[in-house]
Amino acid sequence: MAQGLNVLVTGGAGYLGSTLVPMLLAQGHKVTVLDNFMFKQNSLAQICHDPNFDVVQDDCRNEGVVKRLIAKADVVIPLAALVGAPLCNADQTGAVTINLDAVKMICRLASPAQRIVLPNTNSGYGVGEKDAFCTEDSPLNPITLYGRTKVDAEKAVMERDNSLSFRLATVFGMSPRMRVDLLVNDFVHRAVFDRAVVLFEAHFKRNYIHVRDVARAFLHAIDNFEAMKGQSYNVGLSDANLSKAELCQRIQKHLPKFVYLEAPIGEDPDKRDYIVSNSKIEATGYAPAHSLDAGIAELIKGFRMIRNTQYGNV
Ligand SMILES: NC(=O)c1ccc[n+]([C@@H]2O[C@H](COP(=O)([O-])OP(=O)(O)OC[C@H]3O[C@@H](n4cnc5c(N)ncnc54)[C@H](O)[C@@H]3O)[C@@H](O)[C@H]2O)c1
């Protein structure tokens, strides 16, 4: 097990980062987070006591800052991004400069020996690969600005040595910086508070992965870097290629009063309808440890604490 590495995580205060960074510290690494804290999140508060943790509040596009921080890094994990199609559409310049240009800058500033591990979305598989298992050789043809910036960032990273990328399934589970806009989290949140969801494209399939298993994939990559580098890997639960309706059935098992209805009220901007093979990363010795059912139970517990009450009295 690799220990004592200097790891720079941009966007480390986000949904993935605030779960990953404590796990990196627990493994004995020294971690520096660069994040602009755009959501005013205090998601790293519980690790400030750790002398192996440092944090810089700044923009990942600030070349002077990134250059100084990269100089001492063994591993760079660029998580900073405007994440998701709606946010990218709302700030298109930000999407390109943060999700793509800032990653290209990291590639330019890093020495060839420094390692980069980048997360990508697998949503681009959805276009044209509907009925077959998508592997890492399937074409990624993203149609949203978010998807395009992420795929272009992956291309930039994979052009250099000592890099690898993950193509993540839809992530679920509790994290210190919570996101309720992700599909599983969103449905469970609605099931807890509204007891109902209206589904569009109910039979469209996707795959899913727990946020702690994403963090475990990054740890696995650091530990097995020489064997894994130079490649992209799908990361998802192989037993959870499920449609939205099937996902709702799973939630119903935990919350029997939950109902879901179907109506043509929307369309997924990414047109996600695909099943994904994760055998490539599984062949490297990685296996997820958190099931979808465990994640649903965890979310139900978590949502007893979290509620968007800013403009309501209850
Ligand atoms: N969550 C998923 O399902 C998923 C799936 C595939 C890929 N990813 C990728 O994983 C990464 C993290 O996603 P997440 O779910 O944690 O999202 P998130 O929105 O919770 O995290 C993004 C983080 O980046 C920071 N950030 C944004 N702009 C910045 C800037 N200009 N300078 C510095 N920091 C900035 C934010 O403050 C936040 O902490 C992203 O690169 C995303 O594309 C996530």
Side-chain angles (χ1 to χ4, degrees):
M1 192 171 78
Q3 277 182 320
L5 296 174
N6 285 306
V7 185
L8 172 63
V9 186
T10 75
Y15 177 69
L16 296 187
S18 59
T19 290
L20 168 65
V21 171
M23 289 168 73
L24 285 165
L25 290 167
Q27 192 141 321
H29 298 300
K30 293 186 168 70
V31 184
T32 302
V33 164
L34 169 63
D35 200 296
N36 66 355
F37 294 84
M38 66 181 280
F39 303 107
K40 306 196 188 323
Q41 66 269 44
N42 72 347
S43 50
L44 301 175
Q46 79 282 14
I47 49 172
C48 290
H49 69 91
D50 191 327
N52 286 330
F53 169 63
D54 201 3
V55 61
V56 176
Q57 174 163 23
D58 213 309
D59 198 292
C60 65
R61 295 166 289 186
N62 186 336
E63 179 157 352
V65 172
V66 175
K67 191 171 185 176
R68 174 169 62 80
L69 296 177
I70 279 193
K72 57 178 185 185
D74 301 301
V75 180
V76 184
I77 302 180
L79 301 182
L82 297 185
V83 183
L87 190 54
C88 289
N89 292 342
D91 179 1
Q92 300 186 12
T93 306
V96 174
T97 56
I98 299 167
N99 299 11
L100 178 58
D101 296 346
V103 173
K104 285 183 174 167
M105 182 171 78
I106 288 172
C107 295
R108 176 164 55 77
L109 295 175
S111 72
Q114 288 173 308
R115 310 170 205 170
I116 299 180
V117 186
L118 181 86
N120 191 4
T121 168
N122 72 8
S123 54
Y125 284 147
V127 183
E129 288 287 318
K130 200 169 156 150
D131 295 320
F133 270 98
C134 300
T135 70
E136 292 77 359
D137 298 324
S138 305
L140 270 174
N141 295 315
I143 48 178
T144 60
L145 176 61
Y146 171 63
R148 289 199 303 274
T149 58
K150 294 299 298 182
V151 167
D152 289 350
E154 180 187 90
K155 278 188 196 139
V157 163
M158 297 311 293
E159 274 169 16
R160 68 184 290 284
D161 291 337
N162 285 317
S163 292
L164 69 86
S165 77
F166 290 133
R167 296 175 181 171
L168 303 180
T170 298
V171 186
F172 64 88
M174 293 299 297
S175 176
R177 134 91 178 139
M178 196 46 192
R179 284 185 58 196
V180 292
D181 57 313
L182 293 162
L183 192 77
V184 181
N185 297 357
D186 176 34
F187 282 10
V188 176
H189 189 257
R190 288 173 199 268
V192 168
F193 291 114
D194 302 339
R195 288 193 297 277
V197 167
V198 180
L199 295 180
F200 58 87
E201 301 173 337
H203 300 291
F204 279 24
K205 287 196 184 223
R206 292 200 200 185
N207 69 330
Y208 307 93
I209 186 78
H210 193 282
V211 63
R212 297 184 75 80
D213 280 329
V214 175
R216 290 176 63 254
F218 280 96
L219 299 178
H220 179 78
I222 292 172
D223 284 348
N224 299 282
F225 198 83
E226 281 309 305
M228 289 179 69
K229 67 182 183 182
Q231 302 283 325
S232 299
Y233 300 87
N234 296 333
V235 182
L237 286 170
S238 292
D239 62 358
N241 278 297
L242 299 178
S243 70
K244 292 187 213 174
E246 289 166 332
L247 172 60
C248 286
Q249 286 160 16
R250 290 287 191 96
I251 297 171
Q252 251 176 352
K253 280 197 207 151
H254 297 259
L255 295 169
K257 289 186 177 159
F258 169 56
V259 283
Y260 61 94
L261 312 164
E262 291 184 36
I265 56 163
E267 276 180 26
D268 178 5
D270 286 302
K271 300 274 173 236
R272 278 168 283 203
D273 181 16
Y274 52 105
I275 48 180
V276 177
S277 163
N278 306 294
S279 8
K280 185 171 171 183
I281 190 162
E282 288 164 0
T284 70
Y286 169 85
H290 302 270
S291 68
L292 183 61
D293 278 306
I296 292 169
E298 167 194 336
L299 287 163
I300 292 169
K301 208 190 298 178
F303 290 143
R304 288 186 198 133
M305 301 182 294
I306 294 180
R307 191 164 190 173
N308 289 329
T309 52
Q310 197 183 356
Y311 298 107
N313 285 4
V314 288

